[in-house]
Amino acid sequence: MFCTKCGSYVPDGQHFCTSCGAPMEEFGPADAAPAQPTYQQPGQTQQGYGQPASVTGASDLPPYMPPVDVPGVCDMGAGGPSPQRPKKNGKKAALITVGVLVAILAGGGAGYYFGVYRPQQAEIERIEKKKEEEAVKHSKHPVRITATGMQWDTDTGATKLPVHVTGTDVDGKDVDTVFYVDSEGNGIKLMQGSYSLAVAASPLGADGEIWDVPNVSVSIKLGDALKKGEKLDLRENAKFELGDPINAVDVEAGEITMAQNYARQGGCDDKDEADRLAGLASSARNGAVASYNAAVSEASRKSRTYDGDVFTFEVPEDWGSDWDVKTSQGTYSGVKNGLWVDYTIVHDGYTVGTLMISNHFSSGFNTIGKTNNVGKSTNLWLGSYDSLSGDSDWEYIVDSIYIK
């Protein structure tokens, strides 16, 4: 049946409208169209007190149906308030919505993380690692060696030691360069690889000293276990000892020139200073050579000089040391206190000439020459000095004789 006030469907047997609360009348079959109701105030009756008002068309109402529980509709009973729609739980709905969004985002985020972000990060990490490996691989490593020499000290003005390095680096490229090492052994920087080290030339000392270059070569290897820029101390494996400076008279001019060139190329901070030190070395050498030559000449002269009681002379330089003077003496017959002395000069086993000294004026001449009849002679008086020269018949020439 239907409510005559609001027109809502009301199950049979209900005395009040479940929608508006108006009192209900009996109606006809439920499938009949509801008649136009005559609205009364709640509690009023028609046709007598306590009787429900008649409704036109009641015979057309549908037959009675038992009450049906309709979800969401409250049976408030007679006089109760009008039923209201159930309230939605907004907080719960919001949480559900958030949960769904989170699930969507989580699913999408996980897909992005594992499908895009993580692979990108892995590639970035791979590239960075490769860069780091390359940086380590191609970094220069300071290599310290042993380099010593008496009076050689780069802190007091000496130039650095030029060390020639050859070999192959980690990329397989040939290395052929010169590093300049101070007296502490520092100055070489190399990448990973295998190398051979040797001294290229002498440094220049603070006073122009020159050292012998050690004729040694040292092999070293820098492996891939090194960290970026890691320092290597190879003083026990790579040693170059210069020893004492070379005696200036034994220094070759070429050694000074080579030392000067390397000093100008990197062994010395100032090229003018390198030239100055080379000048000191040259001066020291030239002075020493001059003194040595003078000493040798004097020694040679002395070795060629006969200095006797009566006279002195020098033999030619090409005689060397194979010569001698033999003496013999006698008296003049019939001459009181008449004495004579013969000095026979012998070279290479042969008699070159004879010098006779006599106190007898009439016969006091001295003869130098060969022992044959072609010999040349001259008179040399006491206290006189004479230079003799021979002709083609002379095998040897005595340059000068001084009679004391």
Side-chain angles (χ1 to χ4, degrees):
M1 59 185 176
F2 298 91
C3 176
T4 59
K5 186 175 180 181
C6 66
S8 299
Y9 172 78
V10 180
D12 292 343
Q14 297 293 321
H15 297 288
F16 297 94
C17 177
T18 58
S19 295
C20 65
M24 300 297 297
E25 297 290 344
E26 294 294 332
F27 295 94
D31 55 351
Q36 293 295 325
T38 302
Y39 293 100
Q40 302 288 334
Q41 293 293 331
Q44 291 185 349
T45 62
Q46 294 180 346
Q47 300 177 356
Y49 180 80
Q51 298 295 324
S54 61
V55 180
T56 304
S59 59
D60 295 331
L61 294 175
Y64 171 78
M65 296 181 65
V68 178
D69 293 332
V70 179
V73 179
C74 298
D75 185 4
M76 303 305 296
S82 299
Q84 299 178 359
R85 294 180 180 179
K87 295 182 180 179
K88 294 183 179 180
N89 192 334
K91 184 176 181 180
K92 182 176 181 181
L95 291 175
I96 292 173
T97 301
V98 171
V100 171
L101 291 175
V102 169
I104 293 173
L105 293 174
Y112 173 78
Y113 178 81
F114 290 104
V116 179
Y117 176 78
R118 191 67 191 95
Q120 287 180 345
Q121 290 299 114
E123 179 65 12
I124 292 173
E125 291 173 1
R126 186 191 70 80
I127 293 174
E128 291 299 323
K129 183 178 180 181
K130 183 67 175 178
K131 288 182 178 179
E132 180 64 21
E133 290 175 351
E134 289 296 315
V136 172
K137 178 180 176 182
H138 295 96
S139 67
K140 297 290 185 68
H141 301 277
V143 178
R144 188 177 184 185
I145 65 173
T146 294
T148 60
M150 293 297 295
Q151 303 178 35
W152 175 62
D153 188 351
T154 54
D155 291 334
T156 58
T159 65
K160 296 178 181 179
L161 180 71
V163 177
H164 187 200
V165 178
T166 58
T168 305
D169 65 16
V170 66
D171 294 324
K173 296 180 179 179
D174 291 335
V175 175
D176 188 348
T177 187
V178 174
F179 292 96
Y180 296 90
V181 178
D182 59 26
S183 49
E184 294 295 325
N186 298 312
I188 298 175
K189 287 186 177 182
L190 294 168
M191 289 196 302
Q192 298 176 16
S194 299
Y195 306 96
S196 178
L197 281 61
V199 176
S202 170
L204 289 167
D207 295 322
E209 298 93 340
I210 295 290
W211 287 264
D212 271 327
V213 175
N215 188 25
V216 296
S217 177
V218 177
S219 297
I220 63 173
K221 183 176 182 179
L222 281 66
D224 56 6
L226 295 171
K227 297 179 181 178
K228 184 178 179 179
E230 182 178 352
K231 298 180 180 179
L232 278 80
D233 190 341
L234 300 181
R235 286 178 292 178
E236 293 299 322
N237 307 94
K239 295 183 178 181
F240 297 105
E241 298 179 354
L242 303 178
D244 294 327
I246 304 174
N247 192 325
V249 72
D250 296 325
V251 174
E252 299 291 338
E255 292 177 312
I256 298 176
T257 301
M258 186 174 293
Q260 179 182 10
N261 290 339
Y262 278 107
R264 289 175 59 88
Q265 293 171 13
C268 188
D269 296 333
D270 187 349
K271 292 183 178 180
D272 291 338
E273 177 64 10
D275 294 341
R276 186 186 72 83
L277 295 176
L280 292 178
S282 295
S283 296
R285 174 189 178 276
N286 293 339
V289 169
S291 297
Y292 174 78
N293 289 340
V296 169
S297 178
E298 179 63 15
S300 175
R301 187 192 67 79
K302 289 182 177 180
S303 68
R304 296 181 289 107
T305 300
Y306 174 79
D307 190 5
D309 295 335
V310 178
F311 66 94
T312 180
F313 65 89
E314 293 181 10
V315 299
E317 291 185 8
D318 58 358
W319 281 20
S321 59
D322 188 13
W323 64 278
D324 194 9
V325 176
K326 297 181 178 181
T327 63
S328 62
Q329 63 182 9
T331 61
Y332 290 105
S333 176
V335 178
K336 185 179 181 181
N337 298 325
L339 299 175
W340 58 268
V341 179
D342 284 343
Y343 296 88
T344 302
I345 302 171
V346 179
H347 172 237
D348 198 22
Y350 297 94
T351 298
V352 175
T354 299
L355 176 63
M356 184 183 70
I357 302 297
S358 171
N359 64 356
H360 192 272
F361 184 81
S362 61
S363 60
F365 63 90
N366 314 302
T367 302
I368 292 181
K370 295 180 67 174
T371 57
N372 56 27
N373 296 327
V374 190
K376 184 179 180 181
S377 65
T378 185
N379 293 332
L380 298 177
W381 302 102
L382 297 180
S384 66
Y385 175 85
D386 192 10
S387 294
L388 305 177
S389 60
D391 54 24
S392 60
D393 294 327
W394 281 60
E395 184 178 357
Y396 301 100
I397 300 174
V398 177
D399 290 332
S400 62
I401 293 179
Y402 179 73
I403 305 299
K404 294 183 178 180

